[in-house]
Amino acid sequence: MTTTQRAVLIRAYGGASAAEIGEIPKPSAGDGQVLVRVRAAGVNGIDWKVREGLVQKAFPIPLPAVLGIELAGTVEAVGPGASRFRVGDRVMGPLGRLGAYTEFVPVAEANLVHTPAGLDDVQAAGIPVAAVAAWQSLHQAGPIAAGQRILIHGAAGGLGGYAVQYAKRAGAEVFATASAAHLDHVRSLGADHVIDHRSERFESVAQGIGLVLDYAGGEALDRSWAVLAEGGAIVSAAAPDIAARTPAGRRGLWFVNQADAVLLAQFAQEIAQGSLISRLSDVVDFNGIPAAIERSRTGPRIGKVVADFTR
């Protein structure tokens, strides 16, 4: 009987070579957990930030650590006190911690939902974090009112694509920045004003903004204070140092998503039914995860990257 399993892990913080494929002990399901055989896992921008030690204050972790925060797969075993799932059930969800890039993972059953029949595991693995996090970040700064102006940086990415759709559902006027190759995609999601972040300054188009959702960081975040309406706020999922970059008297919030199985189940069903758009930019095999993490650091893309463990 095999007692170890492969995993993508870091032994020390660093650059592209810090994420490596190694062996770790095969786990078992604890109280309130199910053991999931991972079929696919989403690759997220937070992976390279964890790898390089940029979010140690927000996410303190002991090293070595297995990377990855969301998955889809099948239930291999049910731990004591867990009752919502049976062996063989297809499930999807966030871990609420690191550890998805390996073959078997114990997951709190409260974090998981049944994967809708209309979704395969690869599609499902790209949903749990981005779909829920985009909704939470949109609503974190306060009630979203119809007619409110919202600016979304990184609108073509995994978080941004959902945020555009949720903001339109709320009746907001959506301004969105993206790269030139992705402008048509962002328009198709419902954005009212789509701005090429390289050739056009968003300040010339977006003014009186009640909420900025920052999924890009960098210079765009720092320039965004100039377009905020009085009482407006910036919520950033890209800049953990936003508090230090927030001018006196302004509102800047670092966003950390929380597992929410009710929201996840709702959004997964909507994606399966086609009423909510979900896009994958690439699918890699298990051995391609370290390189995919590095690519998430270096360039924008539409939607999510997912690792297919069955390849």
Side-chain angles (χ1 to χ4, degrees), residues 76-162:
E76 184 80 1
V78 177
S83 58
R84 292 178 51 227
F85 302 101
R86 298 180 179 181
V87 172
D89 283 356
R90 296 178 62 237
V91 294
M92 56 187 285
L95 268 65
R97 55 178 174 82
L98 296 175
Y101 298 152
T102 189
E103 296 174 271
F104 296 92
V105 181
V107 186
E109 71 163 0
N111 288 6
L112 296 171
V113 301
H114 287 95
T115 303
L119 294 178
D120 64 32
D121 292 329
V122 170
Q123 292 172 305
I127 296 170
V129 170
V132 173
W135 191 93
Q136 291 175 337
S137 62
L138 179 66
H139 292 272
Q140 179 169 315
I144 305 303
Q148 183 179 18
R149 291 186 163 194
I150 292 175
L151 172 61
I152 301 172
H153 292 308
L159 281 164
Y162 290 117

Side-chain angles (χ1 to χ4, degrees), residues 197-293:
H197 71 93
R198 294 189 183 279
S199 66
E200 186 176 9
R201 291 185 69 83
F202 62 81
E203 298 97 316
S204 66
V205 179
Q207 292 290 330
I209 302 297
L211 174 65
V212 175
L213 296 178
D214 169 48
Y215 304 132
E219 179 190 6
L221 166 59
D222 295 326
R223 288 164 43 204
S224 294
W225 301 107
V227 305
L228 276 182
E230 175 125 9
I234 297 178
V235 176
S236 180
D241 62 341
I242 188 173
R245 297 163 69 167
T246 301
R250 309 306 293 270
R251 293 176 65 212
L253 307 171
W254 164 239
F255 170 73
V256 180
N257 73 290
Q258 302 293 323
D260 188 321
V262 174
L263 282 177
L264 176 56
Q266 173 188 330
F267 296 145
Q269 286 290 349
E270 290 186 34
I271 292 166
Q273 294 163 2
S275 59
L276 184 64
I277 297 171
S278 178
R279 284 283 298 273
L280 299 181
S281 62
D282 194 14
V283 179
V284 302
D285 62 15
F286 186 91
N287 292 329
I289 293 174
I293 292 172

